[in-house]
């Protein structure tokens, strides 16, 4: 019996992965503890070594104050980015966060230069983030103006703003480094991120932004949902689409600005896109997708920052993105709604269902052409049929037909009389009559309402008959004035026992 992958719960999966990785690291550490050479503790030393058990214990128990601050701030950032990222992904604005993050670089450099010239501390995080927000808003306005007042499409506008603002920021970064104290300002850390330098005030700021973003997404969930799936319909119902769109972009900008110090402007787009894209594999419900996206973002940021704390030579932003990419790969493979494994199983089931329908319909039509159909469906006993005669009716291969017969036999639809002969059971004959009826109802619909010639409808009906449900059958009956549900419809074209 195929397991129901919808019962898989992502938090449990993440917990199992973390436990297995932790036990593996401990085992490897114990195995190679005696072989680990001594390493100099100089701050200039960049040699990598496997963390000792004491380091594992301190990180996992959150014993160090800085570790607690960093993990808390990174987790809050991941939750906020994953939550708002689910809306931008469905809104098809995923790259908007990339453009916004690159547009913040000139604002950071300008804020530092202006503050230094005015005699103010240019290294103040508040001043730098304020400058980032200003140029970020300018980047959003530039994208909207280019898209509205020119024939350039949105993807081209995003590329223009991203490249121009990042180029201007790179030039201003060189200017900022020439100012007094600019060489020690550490502005380049905003490009790649430096989570380890996060202060408690930074973590509290990220937590406040997280509460604001998640709260607004919950309050405005329905309007945002309409905006993502059918903005023109929402506008026709009086929904302020432009205001909601601007508010959504403002939330993206807010998350981007506060996340610059954690993962940097280059990798910030990963936290906005990867968790939402991974959550899309697990569910078709937008509410659950938003929750899973926020959860994945938080777990990815927490594990990435934790791994960076264990291995100080590895950058936190890069580790966060790598962990998020691992979750995306697992989701793409195991996702309960759109995962590759589930889609493969669905395709196999559908192909087997199609083969069973084709087998039963071929048997029914052969008996019908030979005028040997039983007089009743319920409890009917059909004549024996040589399975090799069915090869001429469809584009079967010998192996495929035998496999279809074997599956039908296990389902109780046919009986194997001897090596060359089969017989349809009462259950199989009832199913065959149902399949034939659906096929011919659809053929008659195509002939009557789609003006397709009777000689051409067989193949067209063959493509759709396997997915017709009871509601569609009833609708076809009403359209074709068929009142007796159990009566098999006659074929609208001559039957042929040859392919």
């Amino acid at each position: 019996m195929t397991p129901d992958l919808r019962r898989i719960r992502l938090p449990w999966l993440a917990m199992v992965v973390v436990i297995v990785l932790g036990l593996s690291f401990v085992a490897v550490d114990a195995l190679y503890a005696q072989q680990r050479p001594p390493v100099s503790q100089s701050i200039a030393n960049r040699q990598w070594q496997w963390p000792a058990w004491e380091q594992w214990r301190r990180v996992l128990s959150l014993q160090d104050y800085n570790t607690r601050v960093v993990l808390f701030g990174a987790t809050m950032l991941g939750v906020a980015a994953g939550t708002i990222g689910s809306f931008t992904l469905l809104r098809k604005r995923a790259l908007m966060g990339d453009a916004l993050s690159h547009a913040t670089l000139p604002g950071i450099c300008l804020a530092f230069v202006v503050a230094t010239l005015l005699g103010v501390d240019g290294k103040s995080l508040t001043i730098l983030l304020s400058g980032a927000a200003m140029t970020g808003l300018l980047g959003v306005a530039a994208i909207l103006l280019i898209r509205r007042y020119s024939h350039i499409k949105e993807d081209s506008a995003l590329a223009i703003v991203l490249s121009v603002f990042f180029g201007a920021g790179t030039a201003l970064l060189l200017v900022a480094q020439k100012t007094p104290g600019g060489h020690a300002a550490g502005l380049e850390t905003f490009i790649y991120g430096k989570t380890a330098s996060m202060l408690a005030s930074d973590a509290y700021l990220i937590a406040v932004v997280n509460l604001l973003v998640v709260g607004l997404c919950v309050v405005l969930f329905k309007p945002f949902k309409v905006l993502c799936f059918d903005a023109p319909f929402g506008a026709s119902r009086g929904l302020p689409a432009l205001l909601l769109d601007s508010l959504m972009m403002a939330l993206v900008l807010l998350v981007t600005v506060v996340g610059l110090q954690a993962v940097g402007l280059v990798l910030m787009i990963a936290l906005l896109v990867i968790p939402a894209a991974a959550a899309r594999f697990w569910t078709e419900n937008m509410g659950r997708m938003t929750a899973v996206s926020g959860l994945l973002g938080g777990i990815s940021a927490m594990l990435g920052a934790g791994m960076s704390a264990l291995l100080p030579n590895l950058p936190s932003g890069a580790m966060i993105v790598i962990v998020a990419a691992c979750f995306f790969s697992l989701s793409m493979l195991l996702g309960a709604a759109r995962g590759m494994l589930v889609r493969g199983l669905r395709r196999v089931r559908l192909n087997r269902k199609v083969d069973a329908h084709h087998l039963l319909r071929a048997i029914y039509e052969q008996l019908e052409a030979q005028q040997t159909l039983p007089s009743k469906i319920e409890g009917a006993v059909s004549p024996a049929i040589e399975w090799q005669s069915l090869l001429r009716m469809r584009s079967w291969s010998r192996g495929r037909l035998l496999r279809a017969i074997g599956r039908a036999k296990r389902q109780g639809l046919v009986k194997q009389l001897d090596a060359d002969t089969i017989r349809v059971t009462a259950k199989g004959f009832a199913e065959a009559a149902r399949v034939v009826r659906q096929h011919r109802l659809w053929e008659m619909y195509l002939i009557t309402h789609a003006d397709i010639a009777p000689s051409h409808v067989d193949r067209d009906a063959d493509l759709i008959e396997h997915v017709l449900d009871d509601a569609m059958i009833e609708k076809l009956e009403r359209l074709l004035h068929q009142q007796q549900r159990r009566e098999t419809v006659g074929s609208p074209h001559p039957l042929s026992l040859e392919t």
Side-chain angles (χ1 to χ4, degrees):
M1 181 176 180
T2 303
D4 186 6
L5 295 181
R6 294 184 183 275
R7 296 183 180 272
I8 295 177
R9 293 294 182 264
L10 192 59
W12 287 102
L13 178 62
M15 186 179 299
V16 170
V17 171
V18 172
I19 293 174
V20 171
L21 287 177
L23 293 176
S24 302
F25 290 160
V26 172
V28 173
D29 179 70
L31 181 64
Y32 292 101
Q34 302 300 325
Q35 303 177 10
R36 187 185 299 115
V39 181
S40 173
Q41 299 299 320
S42 170
I43 61 174
N45 175 49
R46 309 301 292 177
Q47 184 176 354
W48 181 87
Q49 65 172 337
W50 193 263
W53 167 244
E54 177 63 19
Q55 293 174 273
W56 280 98
R57 187 185 64 80
R58 295 179 68 88
V59 172
L60 293 178
S61 62
L62 302 179
Q63 185 173 347
D64 297 329
Y65 172 77
N66 185 63
T67 301
R68 294 196 298 269
V69 171
V70 169
L71 289 182
F72 174 75
T75 303
M76 292 296 101
L77 176 63
V79 172
T83 302
I84 190 61
S86 62
F87 293 100
T88 58
L89 180 71
L90 296 176
R91 182 76 172 123
K92 298 181 180 179
R93 297 280 179 84
L95 289 181
M96 181 67 77
D98 196 16
L100 292 180
S101 61
H102 284 76
T104 58
L105 182 59
I108 294 172
C109 299
L110 280 175
F112 174 80
V113 172
V114 173
T116 302
L117 294 178
L118 294 177
V120 184
D121 183 14
K123 301 178 184 179
S124 171
L125 184 62
T126 304
I127 294 177
L128 295 178
L129 294 185
S130 299
M134 292 179 61
T135 53
L137 290 174
L138 185 61
V140 174
I143 293 173
L144 295 177
L145 289 174
I146 293 174
R147 187 183 62 181
R148 182 170 182 177
Y149 294 105
S150 70
H151 297 290
I152 297 177
K153 294 183 179 180
E154 185 172 355
D155 56 347
S156 300
L158 288 171
I160 292 171
V161 171
L162 186 152
S163 57
V164 170
F165 275 74
F166 188 67
T170 304
L172 289 172
L173 184 61
L174 296 176
V175 174
Q177 290 176 345
K178 300 294 183 181
T179 59
H183 63 283
L187 299 182
E188 66 278 359
T189 60
F190 286 95
I191 299 179
Y192 300 107
K194 192 175 181 181
T195 312
S197 64
M198 186 182 299
L199 303 176
S201 57
D202 303 335
Y204 293 147
L205 175 61
I206 293 176
V208 171
V209 169
N210 172 59
L211 291 176
L212 177 63
V213 171
V214 174
L216 286 177
C217 288
V218 171
V219 173
L220 300 174
F221 177 76
K222 287 187 178 180
F224 278 174
K225 183 177 180 180
V226 174
L227 185 68
C228 291
F229 288 102
D230 200 343
F233 171 78
S236 67
R237 294 290 181 176
L239 198 69
L242 180 60
L243 178 62
L244 290 172
D245 206 4
S246 302
L247 180 58
M248 187 184 295
M249 291 302 103
L251 293 179
V252 174
L253 176 61
L254 187 61
V255 173
T256 301
V257 169
V258 299
L260 291 177
Q261 191 179 19
V263 296
L265 59 88
V266 175
L267 299 178
M268 186 61 209
I269 183 61
L271 275 182
L272 290 169
V273 176
I274 295 180
R280 192 71 178 92
F281 289 105
W282 288 99
T283 179
E284 300 287 353
N285 180 277
M286 187 172 179
R288 289 194 289 268
M289 174 189 167
T290 304
V292 173
S293 177
L295 179 64
L296 279 176
I299 294 177
S300 300
M302 179 180 64
L303 293 181
M307 293 174 67
S308 180
L310 284 171
L311 306 171
N313 289 337
L314 297 179
S316 302
M319 294 308 300
I320 291 173
V321 174
I322 289 174
V323 173
C326 292
F327 277 120
F328 175 81
S329 300
L330 288 175
S331 301
M332 183 173 62
L333 180 63
L334 302 175
R338 295 189 170 193
M340 294 174 60
L341 181 59
V342 169
R343 294 180 65 181
L345 292 175
R346 288 174 182 168
R347 185 178 296 274
V348 169
R349 291 195 195 103
L350 179 60
N351 289 339
R352 291 183 176 181
K353 178 182 177 182
V354 169
D355 285 347
H357 286 181
H358 287 170
L359 174 65
L360 294 175
R361 186 158 64 86
I363 293 173
Y364 188 98
E365 290 181 348
Q366 186 180 61
L367 296 177
E368 187 179 22
Q370 297 173 353
Q371 297 183 352
T372 56
L373 278 176
S375 58
K376 59 180 181 178
I377 294 178
E378 300 295 338
V381 178
S382 68
I385 299 174
E386 292 186 359
W387 62 263
Q388 295 190 13
S389 64
L390 302 175
L391 287 172
R392 299 191 298 269
M393 299 187 64
R394 301 201 62 86
S395 299
W396 299 100
S397 65
R398 178 187 176 92
R400 183 178 178 183
L401 177 57
L402 290 177
R403 287 192 297 270
I405 292 175
R407 288 191 294 267
K409 185 169 63 175
R410 289 191 294 271
Q411 295 172 6
L413 302 177
V414 300
K415 282 186 177 180
Q416 186 93 29
L417 300 181
D418 52 44
D420 298 323
T421 310
I422 60 174
R423 171 178 289 168
V424 184
T425 63
K427 176 183 175 182
F429 189 75
E431 179 67 12
R434 186 188 67 84
V435 170
V436 171
R437 184 171 181 277
Q438 289 186 3
H439 179 84
R440 292 177 182 176
L441 279 174
W442 191 253
E443 285 182 330
M444 293 176 64
Y445 175 80
L446 294 177
I447 294 171
T448 306
H449 296 275
D451 294 329
I452 298 179
S455 58
H456 292 74
V457 296
D458 187 46
R459 291 295 183 184
D460 294 332
D462 207 19
L463 299 175
I464 198 67
E465 64 180 16
H466 313 287
V467 294
L468 294 178
D469 54 14
D470 292 338
M472 180 60 71
I473 294 298
E474 291 179 2
K475 187 174 181 180
L476 290 174
E477 288 174 344
R478 289 195 300 269
L479 288 173
L480 300 171
H481 306 287
Q482 297 289 336
Q483 300 298 329
Q484 298 180 1
R485 290 180 54 84
R486 293 297 180 180
E487 180 183 354
T488 303
V489 182
S491 176
H493 55 80
L495 293 178
S496 174
L497 300 184
E498 301 289 338
T499 54

